[in-house]
Every structure is written in structure tokens, then in C-alpha cells.
Amino acid sequence: MHRRAFLGATAFGIGVLAGCVSSEGDNSGGLVEAATPAPTATPAPTATPTPARTPSREVADAGVTDDLRGDTVRSSGTGKGLSDRFTAMGGPVVVSLQFDYTGMRNSNFIVKAVDDAGEPLSPLVLSVNEVFEEARLRDDPGRYTLRFVTHFEPGDYFLDVTHAGGPYGDGAWEAVVEQPGVPTSGESVPLTVEGFDGDVIGPVTFDGPVRVTVETAAPKIGPTDEPIVYNYRVVPTDARGASESRLLNSVETAPLMQSAVYFPTTDVGYLNVHSWGPWTATVEAA
């Protein structure tokens, strides 16, 4: 069985997280809480992350506000630890997470944002809780990548990361935090985007309501040929990364196609897409 579950929470942030569940429909995923980290235990990054799947699109940097740009912070580790400190400037924050569960029969991956005192942010900016069990998929790459745009109030923060496999050992993780600045323009509608796992569309320039359609591919399942049921979500964010209401939020059997009309509240923004495996999204005038 291959099961994944996300717990997502939003205030200024993501609310985009969901994941695969078993065909029995259990989406509890065995969620556990990560312990509050001590800020003095900040680990030094051990390697420069190399994503297993390069996102099909990069967050564009045309027309940004330079004074809200921030340094890129790259961290990696095994098991439990903190990312390096990053200083939020008040603009959009692009978070890329990757973990390697190769050879781990059970794997629990937890990420929370904490302040400089080691306290979880309240309200939560991001909260990720993902569970992997023994894969029943053919060609499972053993890695998963999640990339999204969110927003932090100005200040110093860490990512508190746990990748635990219980008796199967701890797993490797990588985290990258980028701050490209506040966009004043973006890609024009209509556009079609191909992505993989969790990724970002945008920035996009909105000129009125748009219809967003997401189509997922059929996964390569194992010899039992059981259908895979999983959650996927699409959450719009404004130019600073503050999340709006969920546009699409569904639990379906792959493959699937769904669409909805979005009424932007800003002229420029992003769309956070969380799925599993390959997907195609179209954004067009409604």
C-alpha cells in the first residue's frame, strides 16, 4: 500500500496541502505533532539540494519590488532538525521541500514554520504532515517534491523539519526558501502549465474572472490494479503570497479533471497546485 496524507493550515499561507490516501479511504495518515524545537539547535546545511524533479516553471521575477527581495536559504538534513534562519521581508516566500523515502517502509514527513524563539507561528503560516507507507506503485522514484508560495510577516523564522521512519530509520530532507520580491505583472491569460507533484503557477496577471482547470494523469499502479484515491487542491494567493479561499479541493480517483471559476481580488497573483505525479492546468478567461 502506498498512502500519503497532508495536514494543511492557513493564515497568510498555503492551505494547499493534501495527499494520497489508501483505496480504503482512510485519510488520517497517522498524523503526529512535531516537537517544538529549541532555536539553539540549528543544524548547518549539509548539502545543496538537488530536486529530483525540476519544477516545470520558475516563479517569474519580472516587474518585482526589489526592496522586498530576500536571500535564498538552502538547508538539508536527516531525521529531525531546523533549517537555517531566514529573514522574511514581507513579500512572497517560495518554499520548496523535498524528501527521500527510498527504502523506508514507513515515512512521516512534518514541516512547521517557527519563529526566532522556536515557537510555532499562530496563526499557522504552513503546516505539512505527510505519511508514506510501503509503495505499491511501479516506478516509484522514492522522492517527493512540494513547492508553494506563502507569506510571512517581516521577521526571522526557521522551518522545523522531521522525517522519521520509526524502526526503519530516519530519512533525508531538503528545504529551499526563496524571496523573489513582489510582482507587479505576470504571465497573461490564457496559459497552459504542465507540472509535477506540488508546484506554483505564476505570477499571473488577472484581467477579470478566470476558469482554472486541472487534469491529473493516471498513476502507474502495482499488480493489484487497485485505484489510487487522493486529495488535490488549488489555492490562489495574492502578489504577496497571502492565500485566498480554496479554488479546488477534491478527493478523487486518478485520473481526474475538474475546473472552477476564480474571481481575483488582486491584479497579480499565484496559483498553488498540490497534486501527486504529473498534472496539466489551464487558466483562461471565464
Side-chain angles (χ1 to χ4, degrees), residues 37-174:
T40 57
T42 306
T46 58
T48 300
T50 303
R53 302 164 178 143
T54 302
S56 57
R57 306 174 66 83
E58 297 296 331
V59 172
D61 61 0
V64 299
T65 303
D66 289 338
D67 60 354
L68 293 183
R69 287 178 181 264
D71 294 334
T72 297
V73 176
R74 301 174 181 270
S75 308
S76 62
T78 301
K80 180 174 177 56
L82 295 178
S83 72
D84 281 358
R85 177 189 285 109
F86 62 94
T87 300
M89 307 301 291
V93 178
V94 183
V95 179
S96 300
L97 303 171
Q98 180 178 275
F99 59 101
D100 187 339
Y101 57 90
T102 304
M104 300 175 68
R105 183 171 180 176
N106 297 94
S107 173
N108 194 186
F109 183 68
I110 304 168
V111 183
K112 290 185 178 181
V114 298
D115 61 22
D116 201 34
E119 295 295 326
L121 303 187
S122 182
L124 292 172
V125 170
L126 68 94
S127 181
V128 179
N129 195 329
E130 183 165 2
V131 175
F132 277 75
E133 294 183 355
E134 185 176 14
R136 61 179 172 86
L137 301 179
R138 297 193 300 268
D139 303 326
D140 190 321
R143 286 193 176 192
Y144 185 78
T145 300
L146 174 65
R147 183 167 173 263
F148 56 89
V149 176
T150 186
H151 177 79
F152 291 81
E153 292 297 310
D156 291 337
Y157 303 96
F158 301 87
L159 298 181
D160 172 22
V161 183
T162 300
H163 187 192
Y168 307 102
D170 293 333
W173 55 265
E174 298 170 349

Side-chain angles (χ1 to χ4, degrees), residues 21 23 28 55 69 77 110 151 171-172 221-222 240 279:
V21 300
S23 57
S28 63
R69 287 178 181 264
I110 304 168
H151 177 79
I221 59 180
R240 288 178 177 263
W279 50 265

Side-chain angles (χ1 to χ4, degrees), residues 206 208-212 236-237 244-245 247 260-266 271:
F206 299 113
V210 294
R211 177 171 291 278
V212 179
T237 69
E244 303 180 35
S245 60
L247 177 62
V261 175
Y262 170 49
F263 296 86
T265 58
T266 58
L271 295 168

